Amino acid sequence: AQTVTQSQPEMSVQEAETVTLSCTYDTSESDYYLFWYKQPPSRQMILVIRQEAYKQQNATENRFSVNFQKAAKSFSLKISDSQLGDAAMYFCAYALSNFGNEKLTFGTGTRLTIIP
Amino acid sequence: DAGVIQSPRHEVTEMGQEVTLRCKPISGHNSLFWYRQTMMRGLELLIYFNNNVPIDDSGMPEDRFSAKMPNASFSTLKIQPSEPRDSAVYFCASTSLGGAPNQPQHFGDGTRLSIL
């Protein structure tokens, strides 16, 4: 079974600084997808960024980027120029790329605090 | 476009009562997921449907839980009888099969369920 591990229950960063959230996963598959979801206090689950395992290039979405290390099964999220609105729980998630089997497996989350 | 719509947003009821949570997926999406979020266990998949057919219900905790999807635009998750340990936030998510590989799941705002 696939597992996703987030070893940092809480992180904090000064506003405008850069922070990196860690995620590791375990799978025997070669083709899969990885995601970072953000959950603010409003409790919405918002997709931040996703990475296809077959792509070597790291995904980037504005201030958010990932460092995907397939051999190490590591998928960290870097937030640049942190803003107060980035404060939230961040969940790393994994999904197989098999057609019809897109269920997500989530990590336990990292609570990110932004210090003004 | 309307997102995934869940109702009710909050539900408080007494132990032993029947609880029904509702979900309307995004129009055109043909895959629907029910997740449960608790402090202890994080986000867990309960069940998911493809084209209204249940594919994997291995996450359903016990027979007190049941889910249906009578048509493409509606799904219910029912707990009967409810117990205090069922208190959690229940999320519904939907995505589109058959398009680009592994379209991201879009989440509803969740139902916060409290069983007294």
Side-chain angles (χ1 to χ4, degrees):
Chain A
Q2 292 79 19
T3 59
V4 178
T5 302
Q6 294 179 250
S7 58
Q8 306 155 313
E10 296 184 354
M11 292 280 287
S12 60
V13 62
Q14 205 81 29
E15 191 176 3
E17 296 296 310
T18 296
V19 63
T20 299
L21 309 184
S22 300
C23 173
T24 58
Y25 58 94
D26 187 24
T27 183
S28 57
E29 304 291 335
S30 60
D31 202 10
Y32 49 87
Y33 291 79
L34 296 165
F35 305 83
W36 279 97
Y37 277 87
K38 170 185 177 182
Q39 187 178 40
S42 65
R43 97 173 171 240
Q44 287 178 294
M45 290 290 289
I46 303 165
L47 178 66
V48 174
I49 198 166
R50 72 169 181 165
Q51 174 81 42
E52 292 90 339
Y54 64 87
K55 288 187 177 179
Q56 294 191 354
Q57 186 173 6
N58 289 324
T60 299
E61 288 286 344
N62 300 315
R63 298 183 294 107
F64 299 87
S65 61
V66 299
N67 183 4
F68 173 50
Q69 302 290 327
K70 191 172 185 179
K73 296 181 182 175
S74 170
F75 182 62
S76 60
L77 174 70
K78 186 172 82 170
I79 306 174
S80 303
D81 186 24
S82 299
Q83 300 175 1
L84 294 178
D86 296 333
M89 283 288 289
Y90 286 82
F91 292 94
C92 179
Y94 164 102
L96 281 172
S97 63
N98 290 342
F99 179 81
N101 187 17
E102 285 81 6
K103 63 181 181 180
L104 289 166
T105 300
F106 286 91
T108 52
T110 297
R111 182 175 302 281
L112 178 64
T113 301
I114 310 297
I115 303 167
Chain B
D1 287 342
V4 176
I5 299 172
Q6 290 187 246
S7 64
R9 185 155 172 83
H10 305 279
E11 174 89 9
V12 180
T13 192
E14 291 188 347
M15 181 175 65
Q17 297 297 307
E18 177 179 290
V19 173
T20 300
L21 310 182
R22 297 173 175 80
C23 176
K24 177 178 170 55
I26 291 173
S27 178
H29 282 187
N30 52 5
S31 192
L32 183 140
F33 305 77
W34 283 100
Y35 293 90
R36 179 172 67 175
Q37 185 178 28
T38 61
M39 289 293 293
M40 293 296 294
R41 300 174 67 92
L43 273 155
E44 303 172 284
L45 177 71
L46 299 177
I47 185 172
Y48 78 96
F49 298 82
N50 286 344
N51 296 312
N52 310 338
V53 176
I55 302 300
D56 183 352
D57 65 354
S58 59
M60 296 286 264
E62 47 197 279
D63 291 346
R64 298 184 297 105
F65 285 70
S66 62
K68 293 182 179 180
M69 192 163 187
N71 57 62
S73 58
F74 183 67
S75 177
T76 59
L77 177 67
K78 188 172 292 188
I79 308 172
Q80 167 63 20
S82 58
E83 297 182 3
R85 61 193 168 117
D86 302 331
S87 298
V89 178
Y90 291 80
F91 285 99
C92 176
S94 72
T95 189
S96 179
L97 288 177
N102 208 290
Q103 287 293 302
Q105 294 180 21
H106 297 263
F107 283 75
D109 288 344
T111 295
R112 181 177 296 280
L113 177 63
S114 299
I115 308 297
L116 306 177

